[in-house]
Structure formats: structure tokens, C-alpha cells
Amino acid sequence: MANANDWYVEATGRATLTPLLKGFKKEDVIPVRNPDLVLMDDTEYWRAVHLPEWNLVADIADFSAFTKPEWNLKLMAELAPDFPYAASLSTSKRLVFLEEGTSRLAWALMIDKTDGGTTYRYPPQLILIDRGQSKKLKDEDIIFKNVLGERFQSQLVGPRCIETELLFHLPRSRRLIEFYSPFVEEASAISGLGN
């Protein structure tokens, strides 16, 4: 956990479009064993042995970055201009960014909070939809969702975390599109869903 925390802080250093994270370096703690626990179960001891270097602080002023669409729209426009915002498909709980092109089937990135949560979920979901769709995107309209890897909820504490997530997941999504494209083309040809 300590390594993951410190690597995450280090990774945010690649971001340049958002304010710096708030936090402070942790002071060293002397590990103290609990004699009533076996070594393996002494969680407090191990946390002191493997103390993260940084303690991130969430600023309440940054919370709107995860509940309102503005930071998502701004960062996607900067980092993924090839996936413009599709207002006609989006809702206040589901932001859809449709890959440019003319083919009937289109890749899209979806950032949503449709699971009942109040915050947008990361990473963006890579989905395949019918480009000709003109109504708000519903789950049943999604032809395919990326199946490589599990969807997870990130630990976000500021807009810089959103940018960091996008810097990692946008190139990954583009590589997945390259991987999936031959399969989609073959299925489209067989089903008649091509151009």
C-alpha cells in the first residue's frame, strides 16, 4: 500500500493542466510490536514499517471536480481531442466522448456515475456503440464494453488525480481499440453492420 501511494504521488508529477495535490511528507514512526498478536496479524506494526512517504489531503473545494462535469470535459478536450464530447448521448450522470470517424460502429469513452454514486467513476469505460444513435445513451445501447481488466474505483483527491488517470488510461484505451479493431471489423462484415 505504501509503494502504491508513493508511486501514485510520483505519477501525478506528469500532470500539467491541473493544480498540484495537497499533502505533506509523513514523519517517521518507530514500529512497535503488539505482543498479543502474531507477527503476521500485527497490522499497525507493518504500517509503521512500511510507511508511505506522502499523506495526501482532500480539499473540500475540490470535491466538485468529481461531482460536476467541468473538469472531465476540460481535460478530455485537452488530452483526447479525437474523442469529442457527445452532448446528444450524454446526461448529467453519464459523459460520453465519441471517437471521430464515419463508420457506423464507434468507440467511445464513458465516464459515469450511474451506479448510484454521487461521483464520476474512473477509469473511463471503453465501449462500442452505434454512431447513428441520437438519444441519450443507456446501458442497453452499448454493443460492447472492454473486458480486459476489471473496472475499479480510483482514490481521487483532486483534479490532478483525474488528469493522472486520463494520462494513464487514454493511451491504454487507444491500444485496446487497436487490439479489438480486427475482431469488430470481422463481426461487422459478418453481421452487415459495417459502414
Side-chain angles (χ1 to χ4, degrees):
M1 285 174 35
N3 284 342
N5 181 79
D6 292 339
W7 292 333
Y8 191 80
V9 172
E10 183 181 327
T12 64
R14 295 177 44 215
T16 59
L17 304 170
T18 49
L20 291 170
L21 288 178
K22 296 171 179 74
F24 55 90
K25 282 197 167 196
K26 288 190 173 185
E27 294 182 22
D28 287 337
V29 175
I30 298 171
V32 177
R33 283 277 293 118
N34 182 341
D36 297 331
L37 297 173
V38 295
L39 181 60
M40 181 177 76
D41 294 334
D42 195 347
T43 307
E44 293 306 314
Y45 170 78
W46 288 116
R47 283 192 179 141
V49 170
H50 300 287
L51 191 68
E53 183 179 355
W54 292 96
N55 188 20
L56 298 178
V57 178
D59 186 339
I60 191 68
D62 290 335
F63 187 67
S64 65
F66 312 114
T67 59
K68 307 277 189 234
E70 286 77 21
W71 272 111
N72 296 287
L73 298 176
K74 177 182 175 181
L75 290 169
M76 282 295 291
E78 274 295 318
L79 300 172
D82 51 328
F83 282 88
Y85 177 60
S88 64
L89 301 176
S90 300
T91 66
S92 62
K93 293 185 179 219
R94 175 171 278 169
L95 307 177
V96 180
F97 302 87
L98 192 63
E99 184 181 37
E100 293 179 325
T102 57
S103 62
R104 180 169 172 189
L105 295 178
W107 290 105
L109 292 168
M110 181 173 69
I111 302 170
D112 70 345
K113 52 181 174 179
T114 56
D115 61 357
T118 59
T119 59
Y120 289 105
R121 303 294 191 234
Y122 273 81
Q125 293 183 72
L126 178 63
I127 59 173
L128 186 68
I129 61 174
D130 185 333
R131 185 182 301 279
Q133 174 157 329
S134 57
K135 58 186 181 353
K136 301 299 181 190
L137 185 70
K138 294 188 167 111
D139 286 345
E140 56 267 21
D141 301 323
I142 298 171
I143 298 168
F144 175 79
K145 284 185 183 181
N146 170 38
V147 295
L148 296 181
E150 294 181 18
R151 186 170 181 206
F152 59 91
Q153 185 171 340
S154 303
Q155 299 301 317
L156 304 174
V157 296
R160 179 145 295 206
C161 296
I162 295 174
E163 184 179 359
T164 302
E165 294 277 338
L166 291 175
L167 287 170
F168 176 80
H169 289 290
L170 290 173
R172 181 176 179 271
S173 292
R174 289 183 178 102
R175 288 191 306 272
L176 286 168
I177 289 170
E178 285 179 29
F179 172 79
Y180 285 132
S181 287
F183 302 106
V184 171
E185 289 169 14
E186 183 179 344
S188 296
I190 292 170
S191 66
L193 284 174
N195 297 329

